[in-house]
Amino acid sequence: MTLLVLAICGITVVADGYDVVVYGAVIPSLLHEPGWGLTPAGAGLIGSFALVGMLIGATTVGTLTDTLGRRRMLIGCLIWFSVMTGLCATATSPEVFGLFRFLAGLGLGGVLPTASALVGEYSHPRTRNLVFATLFSGFPVGGIIAALTGIFVLPRFGWQVMFLLGLLPLLLVLPLAIRFLPESITFLRAKGRHAEADRIADRWNITADDTQQDVPAPEQNPSGTDSGSMSPVRALFSRSYLGATLCFLAMTCLCLFMIYGFNTWLPEIMRRAGYSTGSSLGFLLVFNIGAVVGTIVISLAADRFGSKPIITTTYLVSSVAVIVLSLRLPTTVLYAAVALGGVGAMGTQSFVLAYVSKHYPVRMGATALGWTLGFGRLGSMLAPPLLGLIIGAGLAFQWNFYALAVPGVIGALLVGLVPRAPEAEAAAGHGGVGGTARPLAGQT
C-alpha cells in the first residue's frame, strides 16, 4: 500500500519539480522573445510570481486538505498546476505569462504538503524518513528532467513546447490517481465516513491498529483545553506546539534559502570563478544528482538513529560543502563538494518534513506541513535577489558561498531547540506504560 501511494505522490512531485525549474531553463529564450522587451530584472520579478503563488498555495491548500480531504486536494492541485503551466505556452506578453506562473504556483505550492501528509499516514514510523526522502527526491528529479529536456527542445522547438510538456501529467498521472489513490482513513473517520474508511481498509488489508498507531490520545494544554477540539491551525500555534512550530518554520525557511540559492545562482557563481558555461551547468547537474542519491541513502540512517541527529548533520554538511566550494581546489574535489551540498540542502528538507509529520497528530498533519513549507517559501524568495545583490555589488564569488553557509549553521542550532511533542511528554510522565504516543522523530 505504501509503495502505491508513494509512487503516485512521487510522480506528482516529479511533475511539480519540472514545472518549478522549467522557468530557469527558458529565461534566456524569454529575454530574446520578439516584442516582449523583457529585461533581466523583469525576468527575475516574473520568477518570483510563482514562488509567491507557492507560498499562498502551501498554506491555503495545506489547511484545506485537513478539511476537504488529502486525495481530493492532491488531484485538484495536479490538474490546476498542469493546466496553468500549459497555458504559459499561449502567453503573448510578459504580463500574461507572469499571471499564469502565479496561478500555477498556487497548485504547485499545495503538492508537497498534501503528498507528504498522505504518504506519511500510509508509511510505518520506522521507515518514514526513507519514504519522505524518496518522495522529496522527486523534486530534483523533475529539475533534472527540465534541464535535460531544455537542452534538446529549446534549440529545435522553442520555449513554448517546454510548457506544453507540462500538460503530460494530465495524461500520465491523473488517471492513476483517480483510479488508485486512496483517501486518508484517519480523515474519513474524523468526518464520520466510517463505511468508506472500512472499505479502504478492507481493500488494502489495513487493520485498525495500522490506522490508529499514529493517532495519540487527545492531550490537555496547560490551560486545560483539549487541543484535540481545536481547529488544526489554532492547535498548530497553541501553547502545546508553538515552540516546535516556530522552529520548524525557521528551519524550512533556511533550508529552502540554500536550495533555491544553489539552483538559481550556482552556474553563474562558478562561471565567475573561471569555469566554462558547460562546466558550470555540470555543477548544477551534480548538485541535483547528489541530492537524489545521497538523500535516499542517508534516510536509512535517519530511520535508525532518528531525525534530530541526522538533520543536524545534514545542515552542517551543507555548510562545510559550501565553504569548500569557495576554495581553489581541483575540479573533482569541487564536484564532490557540490554533491554533498545537494545531499545537505535537499536531504535536510526531506528529513525536516518527516520530523514535522511525526511530531504532530495525524489530524494536523497536512496543516503543519502546509504552514511549514509555506513559510519556508520566504527563504526561496529571498535567496535569488540577495545573492544577486552580492554578485551585482562586484564582491568576490566566495561571498556568495559564505551567504549560503550561514543558514546551515543556524539551522543546525535550531534543531536542538525543538521540544518533545506533548504526547511524548505525557507518555514519559506516566513511565511510558500503556501510552498511545507514536514514535517521534529523534526517538525512532
Side-chain angles (χ1 to χ4, degrees):
M1 181 59 179
T2 300
L3 290 177
L4 177 63
V5 175
L6 178 59
I8 295 174
C9 292
I11 297 173
T12 304
V13 173
V14 170
D16 176 83
Y18 175 92
D19 283 15
V20 171
V21 178
V22 68
Y23 180 68
V26 304
I27 282 180
S29 299
L30 295 180
L31 290 174
H32 295 91
E33 179 67 14
W36 279 30
L38 189 63
T39 64
L45 183 61
I46 291 176
S48 69
F49 289 168
L51 297 175
V52 172
M54 291 174 73
L55 187 155
I56 298 173
T59 54
T60 303
V61 174
T63 302
L64 289 176
T65 295
D66 285 323
T67 302
L68 302 178
R70 297 171 183 179
R71 178 182 184 275
R72 182 183 302 174
M73 293 307 300
L74 185 64
I75 291 175
C77 286
L78 174 64
I79 295 173
W80 182 266
F81 77 70
S82 296
V83 171
M84 292 303 159
T85 297
L87 287 175
C88 287
T90 68
T92 56
S93 68
E95 293 78 12
V96 175
F97 183 87
L99 175 62
F100 286 139
R101 286 298 290 171
F102 169 77
L103 294 175
L106 296 176
L108 293 169
V111 168
L112 271 179
T114 308
S116 299
L118 199 53
V119 300
E121 179 178 347
Y122 278 103
S123 62
H124 194 280
R126 286 197 298 268
T127 60
R128 193 162 294 155
N129 281 296
L130 176 60
V131 169
F132 271 88
T134 304
L135 177 71
F136 199 76
S137 293
F139 188 90
V141 168
I144 292 171
I145 292 174
L148 294 177
T149 302
I151 293 174
F152 176 79
V153 169
L154 287 172
R156 296 170 176 81
F157 306 106
W159 64 266
Q160 290 89 346
V161 175
M162 293 289 290
F163 290 97
L164 289 175
L165 291 175
L167 293 170
L168 286 178
L170 297 179
L171 300 176
L172 302 179
V173 187
L174 183 60
L176 295 176
I178 293 175
R179 176 67 177 85
F180 296 109
L181 189 66
E183 180 56 272
S184 161
I185 293 178
T186 302
F187 168 80
L188 293 175
R189 296 199 188 283
K191 295 298 181 180
R193 295 157 61 180
H194 299 289
E196 187 176 350
D198 291 339
R199 286 196 299 270
I200 294 176
D202 292 340
R203 179 180 180 184
W204 300 107
N205 294 321
I206 298 175
T207 65
D209 290 339
D210 293 328
T211 61
Q212 294 171 2
Q213 64 179 345
D214 286 342
V215 183
E219 72 279 356
Q220 299 286 328
N221 66 23
S223 65
T225 302
D226 182 1
S227 67
S229 64
M230 297 182 184
S231 69
V233 175
R234 184 181 175 190
L236 194 64
F237 293 95
S238 67
R239 187 178 303 179
S240 298
Y241 292 102
L242 180 60
T245 297
L246 294 178
C247 286
F248 288 136
L249 295 181
M251 286 161 58
T252 305
C253 184
L254 294 167
C255 189
L256 289 180
F257 181 95
M258 292 189 292
I259 291 174
Y260 279 82
F262 267 112
N263 276 317
T264 304
W265 288 111
L266 183 59
E268 178 63 17
I269 294 172
M270 300 311 293
R271 188 190 68 80
R272 289 174 177 265
Y275 293 89
S276 65
T277 300
S279 297
S280 299
L281 291 173
F283 281 106
L284 184 60
L285 186 62
V286 170
F287 173 80
N288 283 286
I289 292 175
V292 174
V293 177
T295 298
I296 294 176
V297 172
I298 293 181
S299 68
L300 298 175
D303 283 321
R304 179 176 180 180
F305 298 108
S307 295
K308 267 197 173 184
I310 294 299
I311 294 174
T312 302
T313 301
T314 53
Y315 262 128
L316 294 178
V317 164
S318 64
S319 294
V320 171
V322 170
I323 295 299
V324 170
L325 288 174
S326 69
L327 305 176
R328 297 287 185 179
L329 297 173
T331 304
T332 53
V333 176
L334 295 181
Y335 273 124
V338 168
L340 288 175
V343 175
M346 292 285 193
T348 298
Q349 182 60 29
S350 65
F351 300 142
V352 168
L353 291 180
Y355 198 169
V356 172
S357 174
K358 293 177 180 181
H359 190 85
Y360 298 95
V362 172
R363 72 178 189 86
M364 297 167 55
T367 299
L369 289 164
W371 276 84
T372 300
L373 284 165
F375 188 86
R377 295 297 173 192
L378 294 176
S380 66
M381 292 189 300
L382 287 174
L386 179 58
L387 295 182
L389 288 174
I390 295 175
I391 293 175
L395 298 176
F397 74 92
Q398 288 90 344
W399 283 98
N400 293 278
F401 292 124
Y402 301 154
L404 288 171
V406 171
V409 176
I410 298 175
L413 296 174
L414 285 173
V415 177
L417 298 179
V418 178
R420 299 180 71 183
E423 59 268 21
E425 293 287 356
H430 290 84
V433 179
T436 57
R438 53 198 167 101
L440 297 174
Q443 298 175 319
T444 57

